[in-house]
Amino acid sequence: MLFNSERSVLEHVRYTDAQDGRVFDFYVKRDDLIDPLVSGNKWRKLKYNIEQARHKSSEGILTFGGAHSNHLVATAKACHVAGLKSVGFVRGEELSYNSNSTLMDCAQLGMELVFISREEYRNKEDWEYMNQVRHGFPSFHIVPEGGSNFYGIIGCQEILKETPNDFDHVFVSAGTGTTAAGLILSAGPHTKVHVVSALKGDFMEAQVSKMLNSVVFDEELVEELKGKTVFHDNAHFGGYSKTTPELLRFIKTILAQTQLPIDSVYTGKALYELLRTWKKGELVEHPKVLFIHTGGLQGMRS
Ligand SMILES: *Cc1c(COP(=O)(O)O)cnc(C)c1O
């Protein structure tokens, strides 16, 4: 395959609480190490979309993203390496190829960028609008924002299969919830999957349910799967891409103490929530815990 998930090692990390000196041991699945740009869950979600594009003999992949989108630059690089073209519809008509390092990387990797207004971007899930887009790029495989489709979920099921898959708790950051859906579908029978939303609002459970339904077509099974899922909707630090001095301090502390680099949009918030949950005594005693490092470090440049 194009990118090697063997680089995603399972790492043991020891965290010492600065206040009371208590020690917490956990594992990290380092998907951030797969590639600097096609990082983390973005490769998982693209893998079978690339395969599908090749299978259909598509010219390339067309997708959507914001100005700093990890998914956009991951798509640009994955397509570049796969010998496919890529088109990115970017939210914000005021932007250009030179607006920031993410968009510059996209352009350098050969991605054609189409800058659209926020209003048009909101329409991107409408049937009519999509037909129009399809008409303009008839030979492209279209992938929704964030790689959030069936192939994305299937790819994310491979993350836990590269581990012993016997954890008491698995923590993951969620944007679209695609990665979470893949983990829930593939987790061991005794594992609780903790879905930490990077966005403000309480829609994540419904969103993940919808995605589970799109794969298993069995309401009873979806309910059973949701029984092993915990949704954390209050760890967004003010909302998507919002941050606080406390979160930034936490990210620095973790890097200094454990050498684990995390970002402020996704992984920082999820790891903060994991340690908060542990400190509150909400995990079983001596739990075996896995943190999924979903990547996102490219976005930290700006
Ligand atoms: C995109 C992204 C997420 C969100 O993944 P979803 O599958 O959309 O929930 C989490 N972490 C990082 C670092 C990301 O780039």
Side-chain angles (χ1 to χ4, degrees), residues 39-42 45 70-71 145-148 156 172-180 198 204 240 263 265-267 293-297:
S39 118
N41 60 356
K42 297 303 183 281
K45 294 192 278 187
N70 295 328
H71 167 67
E145 178 182 49
S148 172
C156 290
V172 69
S173 172
T176 65
T178 312
T179 309
M204 193 53 76
Y240 183 71
D263 79 294
V265 180
Y266 292 106
T267 51
H293 198 314
T294 42
L297 300 166

Side-chain angles (χ1 to χ4, degrees), residues 125-185:
E125 261 109 64
D126 290 357
W127 188 80
E128 209 174 314
Y129 180 74
M130 279 314 297
N131 257 355
Q132 221 175 300
V133 171
R134 221 170 266 132
H135 197 74
F137 297 87
S139 59
F140 277 72
H141 173 62
I142 297 182
V143 175
E145 178 182 49
S148 172
N149 63 5
F150 176 81
Y151 302 107
I153 300 172
I154 298 302
C156 290
Q157 292 190 34
E158 296 181 351
I159 301 171
L160 286 176
K161 294 187 180 154
E162 297 170 9
T163 75
N165 203 359
D166 60 351
F167 301 95
D168 299 306
H169 302 276
V170 172
F171 277 74
V172 69
S173 172
T176 65
T178 312
T179 309
L183 293 171
I184 294 163
L185 285 161

Side-chain angles (χ1 to χ4, degrees), residues 73 76 97-98 101-113:
V73 69
Y97 280 84
N98 300 318
S101 54
T102 301
L103 295 177
M104 275 190 265
D105 278 341
C106 287
Q108 202 135 51
L109 291 160
M111 182 176 252
E112 178 185 341
L113 298 177

Side-chain angles (χ1 to χ4, degrees), residues 68-109:
H68 301 281
S69 167
N70 295 328
H71 167 67
L72 219 52
V73 69
T75 304
K77 180 154 182 193
C79 285
H80 180 75
V81 173
L84 293 166
K85 288 188 180 169
S86 63
V87 176
F89 275 50
V90 186
R91 182 177 56 224
E93 57 202 330
E94 75 287 2
L95 299 167
S96 74
Y97 280 84
N98 300 318
S99 292
N100 63 53
S101 54
T102 301
L103 295 177
M104 275 190 265
D105 278 341
C106 287
Q108 202 135 51
L109 291 160

